Amino acid sequence: MRRFYGWSFAGTIAIPLVLALALVMWLTFDLVYRVSAGANMQDSERTRQIVESAIGAAEKQLENATADNAYWDDAARQVYGNIDETWVRDTWGVPTESGATYDLMLIADHNASSVLSGYRKRKPFKPDASTYFGENLSSILAQFAQAPEESESRATVMRTADGLAIIAAATIMPTSADLRTPGQPPRYLIFGKYLSEDYLKSLGSQYVIEGLTVTDSRPRSRPYFAITDLAGHDIAFARWKDRRPGDLALRSILTTSIAVVVFMSLVLAGIGVLCWRLLGHIADRERSALHESLHDSLTGLPNRSGLQDQMRHLIGAGETNLAIAYADLDGFKEVNDYFGHDTGDRLLKAISAGLRQLASPGNYVSRLGGDEFVVLTKGEDAIDQARKISEFFVAFVQEPFDLDGRIASVGVSIGIASLPAESRDTTELLRRADLAMYHAKSTGKNRHFTYSPALDNDKRENLEIASELRQHIAAGLLEVAYQPIVSAANLDVVAIEALARWPASSPRRVTPDKFIAVAEANGLIDDLGQAVLAIACKEIARWETLRLSVNVSPIQLRNPDFARRTIQTLHQHILPGNRLELEITENVLMSEFPAIMKNVNDLRAAGIRLALDDFGTGYSSIHYLRKIPFDRIKIDRSLICNILKGAQESHIVQCTIQMASGLAAKVTAEGVENEEQISILRLNGCDELQGYYFHRPMPAASLRQLMENQRKARAGGFASVA
């Protein structure tokens, strides 16, 4: 069939193709001629720009050299007053012999009326300035007279008695202020570089300009470049050999075209065979393009389109028992950031190969993109197959991967879902698995979870909480509870930790952990944090010595505007920066560390203190603890609760306090619940204590009463009310 259509195509197209080819040849010649002319014009204009740049660069080079030699303490000492000719000759006169930078040098007075000293080709040279330069030199020096106390330099091409030259002038001035004599008539250093044939040849070689010359009269034809003086008047014209690359291309194409005409008959004779083969190639490429559109180029696995196509195919064949395991790698971004994308790609290939081995022959493994993989199962036990594969997959990725000597460790969160009964909606199947996957990720990661309708209820509830939270923030209805922090020495209240609370006026009851997580997931955490800070600042401002402690989410700290908004809130409530302490959890240190440093530096510059919260629950690196100068380390209650269980637990707390001391940080112990813990913490040098043994979080009214009782106790000389 393919052969039949091939010869048929050749027979019906061959004759019209000859006529079309003749037309194409004519159009091609016309196009080539136009392109050739355009190429010539573009090359000529490009070369003109290069010539302009070359002359400008030569002027700038001589101007810089003049400025460097004029703005110099030694130059001022040897030139003002009686000129030291020996010094002038050795310093500036000798280089004129080689002409590497300049061919002549002159020292002129402030009126440019006379040349005080000069050299050309290492020999004294003192021409009459007005005769040798005309009015050109005077016009340059006149510009310097407007600012005689400033070091300036100018360079331009001007006509001299010996031909065209680049002339640069600068005011001779000392760099040291104590060598300057106010009111002293200035003297000027002048360097000149003749536009000689040899110099133009050197300039052309440097900038790849063939045949560069300078003429006095305007050429009759292009290309040329007009050289102007400081006033913008044309004084000379640069010319060069036009390369005309378009002509070379035109001759080459004409030669080729003649050869094409000669062999045209042979080409037409082979059209039939070529068309037959072409159809075969087209069919092969269509198959290849279809495969590429349905597969991931990195791993070779089917992509999202391939997965959707496979599910539609199975459903169309009557298969309704479908389930998928939707996997998302945990920690893959950190591998990419730390080792680079090449290592990340090798990790994805290794995981893809392992997943193929874990899946049964009847399963369909795909990569949706990024670090997301899906395994499609079918049959009566489809959901059980998905769970089994998920368990194997979680165990598989827990083993570190050795990628050319780089050890990468990741986890995986997997959501499992089955096709709803009597449904053909594959999009709903993916949505449910995705929802289950995010639940697995939010409940600890490195696990799998099977979809249940409760997840949709949770999602709906979270959306409702987010909407209500947004309204509470806007209306200023949020509430704040305050938990006192006491001094370990005398148990006086020295600080207050502000804790966000859901409004009591709301019919819904939401715990802080719940609505804070919702705020982070819905982009409300910045506004929530600032609202809590504003309420707490207003309350705490009434006690001059009390420190305010506020928790900061990692998302807040990565916001580039966080420091500015925080400082602005303090200013609005007239609260000094050193009375605010922001508590940062350990996991902030291990992700996007460079992104938080700008905020950290701005906060500390405003006097705001930083505390490392929940120390002992994460994996803080000493490197990061040294990079961020924490003012305080708060030991997590999990360590404090075990302090009485044995010497090892007590030693851990002791080492933590010693480490904090080495980092010049104060220590606060959280979760203190009895006298024995207080005694041990005091003996180990803990600075402050916090826990239910002293005070639970309380409303603002209770805090005011507590502080008033403490004030009265101090005034009466009694013990602390803590």
Side-chain angles (χ1 to χ4, degrees):
M1 180 64 71
R2 187 177 68 174
R3 182 177 180 181
F4 170 78
Y5 280 115
W7 285 111
S8 176
F9 175 80
T12 55
I13 297 300
I15 295 176
L17 184 62
V18 173
L19 298 177
L21 194 58
L23 177 62
V24 170
M25 290 283 291
W26 181 82
L27 293 175
T28 300
F29 288 149
D30 182 68
L31 177 62
V32 168
Y33 177 78
R34 294 175 184 274
V35 171
S36 171
N40 289 337
M41 292 180 61
Q42 290 181 2
D43 185 75
S44 179
E45 174 59 22
R46 189 183 305 110
T47 306
R48 188 199 68 78
Q49 294 174 358
I50 293 174
V51 171
E52 182 179 4
S53 299
I55 295 176
E59 292 179 359
K60 192 64 180 178
Q61 180 182 4
L62 190 61
E63 180 181 346
N64 291 339
T66 307
D68 291 343
N69 281 269
Y71 195 48
W72 186 15
D73 286 349
D74 286 353
R77 292 190 187 97
Q78 308 302 334
V79 170
Y80 283 102
N82 295 324
I83 297 176
D84 187 338
E85 284 293 340
T86 301
W87 185 90
V88 171
R89 180 197 65 212
D90 293 342
T91 304
W92 294 329
V94 171
T96 62
E97 183 176 13
S98 65
T101 304
Y102 52 89
D103 297 320
L104 68 87
M105 62 76 47
L106 303 173
I107 298 175
D109 63 9
H110 63 285
N111 294 321
S113 58
S114 64
V115 175
L116 305 178
S117 178
Y119 286 88
R120 185 173 66 177
K121 298 299 181 182
R122 201 176 179 177
K123 296 180 180 180
F125 181 65
K126 298 175 61 176
D128 180 75
S130 59
T131 303
Y132 193 78
F133 296 103
E135 298 299 324
N136 296 321
L137 183 61
S138 299
S139 62
I140 293 180
L141 300 186
Q143 297 181 17
F144 297 156
Q146 299 174 5
E149 299 300 327
E150 298 182 9
S151 176
E152 296 188 71
S153 59
R154 295 285 190 278
T156 188
V157 176
M158 65 174 61
R159 191 172 300 283
T160 70
D162 292 319
L164 289 173
I166 299 175
I167 301 298
T171 307
I172 299 174
M173 291 185 66
T175 58
S176 302
D178 56 347
L179 295 178
R180 299 179 183 177
T181 304
Q184 182 181 41
R187 292 182 177 179
Y188 305 102
L189 177 63
I190 302 167
F191 284 171
K193 184 68 180 178
Y194 295 110
L195 296 182
S196 63
E197 183 178 344
D198 290 341
Y199 179 64
L200 291 173
K201 184 177 181 181
S202 172
L203 203 61
S205 176
Q206 179 182 354
Y207 287 89
V208 196
I209 307 169
E210 186 177 357
L212 180 62
T213 59
V214 175
T215 180
D216 294 340
S217 58
R218 184 186 298 273
R220 295 182 179 180
S221 62
R222 295 186 180 276
Y224 66 84
F225 168 68
I227 301 174
T228 61
D229 57 16
L230 284 177
H233 301 137
D234 296 345
I235 60 172
F237 302 89
R239 296 215 65 183
W240 57 91
K241 184 178 179 180
D242 203 1
R243 293 179 295 186
R244 300 187 66 81
D247 293 351
L248 296 175
L250 180 61
R251 286 193 293 270
S252 175
I253 292 175
L254 287 175
T255 302
T256 304
S257 300
I258 293 174
V260 169
V261 173
V262 173
F263 289 100
M264 187 60 65
S265 57
L266 297 176
V267 173
L268 293 176
I271 284 180
V273 177
L274 293 176
C275 289
W276 178 76
R277 293 181 177 178
L278 179 61
L279 289 177
H281 288 312
I282 290 175
D284 293 340
R285 295 190 63 163
E286 285 180 350
R287 286 192 295 270
S288 176
L290 178 62
H291 181 272
E292 291 177 1
S293 68
L294 298 176
H295 289 77
D296 171 46
S297 60
L298 176 65
T299 63
L301 293 175
N303 57 19
R304 182 182 293 272
S305 297
L307 174 65
Q308 293 276 17
D309 187 67
Q310 178 66 10
M311 289 193 292
R312 285 192 294 267
H313 171 74
L314 291 174
I315 293 174
E319 180 63 69
T320 57
N321 295 313
L322 298 179
I324 61 173
Y326 195 129
D328 183 87
L329 299 181
D330 301 323
F332 178 72
K333 181 180 183 299
E334 285 71 16
V335 173
N336 254 348
D337 293 343
Y338 189 77
F339 292 118
H341 289 278
D342 288 341
T343 300
D345 289 346
R346 288 197 292 273
L347 176 60
L348 291 174
K349 290 179 180 178
I351 291 176
S352 300
L355 191 53
R356 281 194 183 101
Q357 296 295 321
L358 295 173
S360 302
N363 301 143
Y364 192 80
V365 182
S366 59
R367 179 191 176 209
L368 301 194
D371 56 356
E372 296 179 339
F373 297 87
V374 167
V375 179
L376 173 64
T377 61
K378 62 181 180 178
E380 295 292 336
D381 61 342
I383 193 73
D384 293 331
Q385 292 182 55
R387 290 194 182 103
K388 185 177 180 180
I389 293 172
S390 297
E391 291 174 1
F392 288 152
F393 194 19
V394 170
F396 169 66
V397 299
Q398 282 182 341
E399 294 294 328
F401 291 82
D402 187 344
L403 305 171
D404 298 333
R406 295 177 173 178
I407 306 301
S409 296
V410 294
V412 63
S413 299
I414 305 175
I416 302 170
S418 58
L419 190 68
E422 306 300 326
S423 173
R424 302 170 63 91
D425 190 354
T426 58
T427 302
E428 175 64 14
L429 175 60
L430 285 169
R431 186 195 71 82
R432 292 185 175 188
D434 182 65
L435 191 61
M437 180 270 291
Y438 276 106
H439 180 78
K441 191 178 288 288
S442 65
T443 54
K445 301 181 179 179
N446 218 35
R447 63 190 64 195
H448 64 81
F449 189 84
T450 303
Y451 168 83
S452 68
L455 290 180
D456 281 320
N457 296 334
D458 290 343
K459 186 174 182 180
R460 188 179 305 107
E461 181 186 20
N462 288 344
L463 292 175
E464 293 173 356
I465 291 174
S467 176
E468 191 171 343
L469 177 60
R470 185 178 288 106
Q471 297 173 13
H472 291 331
I473 294 173
L477 298 178
L478 281 175
E479 296 181 4
V480 176
Y482 303 91
Q483 184 174 24
I485 302 170
V486 303
S487 168
N490 56 20
L491 302 186
D492 278 349
V493 177
V494 294
I496 298 296
E497 181 175 356
L499 304 167
R501 292 293 185 264
W502 192 260
S505 58
S506 171
R508 188 191 302 271
R509 291 294 173 261
V510 188
T511 63
D513 290 345
K514 178 69 173 179
F515 72 76
I516 290 175
V518 169
E520 290 181 331
N522 290 271
L524 297 173
I525 190 64
D526 290 310
D527 292 337
L528 173 62
Q530 292 300 324
V532 171
L533 178 61
I535 295 171
C537 285
K538 182 179 180 181
E539 181 65 31
I540 211 73
R542 68 182 70 234
W543 298 291
E544 296 181 356
T545 60
L546 211 56
R547 189 177 75 249
L548 173 62
S549 184
V550 178
N551 291 286
V552 176
S553 163
I555 298 175
Q556 289 177 268
L557 204 57
R558 289 194 291 268
N559 183 349
D561 202 35
F562 172 69
R564 184 195 64 79
R565 292 185 66 184
T566 300
I567 296 170
Q568 184 180 43
T569 301
L570 291 181
H571 290 168
Q572 289 174 349
H573 295 86
I574 319 176
L575 193 71
N578 60 8
R579 290 188 59 193
L580 175 62
E581 188 171 84
L582 299 179
E583 298 186 10
I584 303 169
T585 54
E586 292 183 75
N587 59 341
V588 173
L589 305 179
M590 306 306 293
S591 63
E592 302 185 38
F593 181 76
I596 71 173
M597 286 309 298
K598 176 64 167 60
N599 274 326
V600 167
N601 293 333
D602 290 347
L603 292 168
R604 291 195 61 82
I608 298 172
R609 305 178 186 182
L610 298 178
L612 180 60
D613 196 16
D614 299 337
F615 183 81
T617 60
Y619 305 94
S620 293
S621 166
I622 297 298
H623 166 73
Y624 288 121
L625 292 178
R626 295 180 63 188
K627 293 286 284 187
I628 297 181
F630 285 103
D631 301 283
R632 183 174 305 278
I633 291 178
K634 300 189 73 174
I635 304 176
D636 187 69
R637 68 182 308 275
S638 61
L639 293 179
I640 304 302
C641 289
N642 296 324
I643 198 173
L644 299 176
K645 291 185 177 181
Q648 183 178 4
E649 287 75 8
S650 178
H651 187 63
I652 292 174
V653 173
Q654 182 181 8
C655 290
T656 301
I657 295 174
Q658 290 175 350
M659 181 198 69
S661 177
L663 295 172
K666 300 292 185 181
V667 177
T668 297
E670 298 181 300
V672 179
E673 297 179 352
N674 54 59
E675 288 282 355
E676 290 82 357
Q677 292 174 346
I678 297 174
S679 299
I680 294 176
L681 291 169
R682 278 175 167 171
L683 288 174
N684 285 290
C686 186
D687 299 291
E688 295 178 1
L689 309 172
Q690 182 180 5
Y692 285 180
Y693 179 80
F694 305 105
H695 304 284
R696 292 177 176 270
M698 61 184 68
S702 299
L703 175 63
R704 295 176 199 142
Q705 184 62 49
L706 173 67
M707 296 308 299
E708 178 62 20
N709 293 342
Q710 178 170 291
R711 185 190 65 78
K712 292 178 180 179
R714 286 179 176 175
F718 298 112
S720 171
V721 298

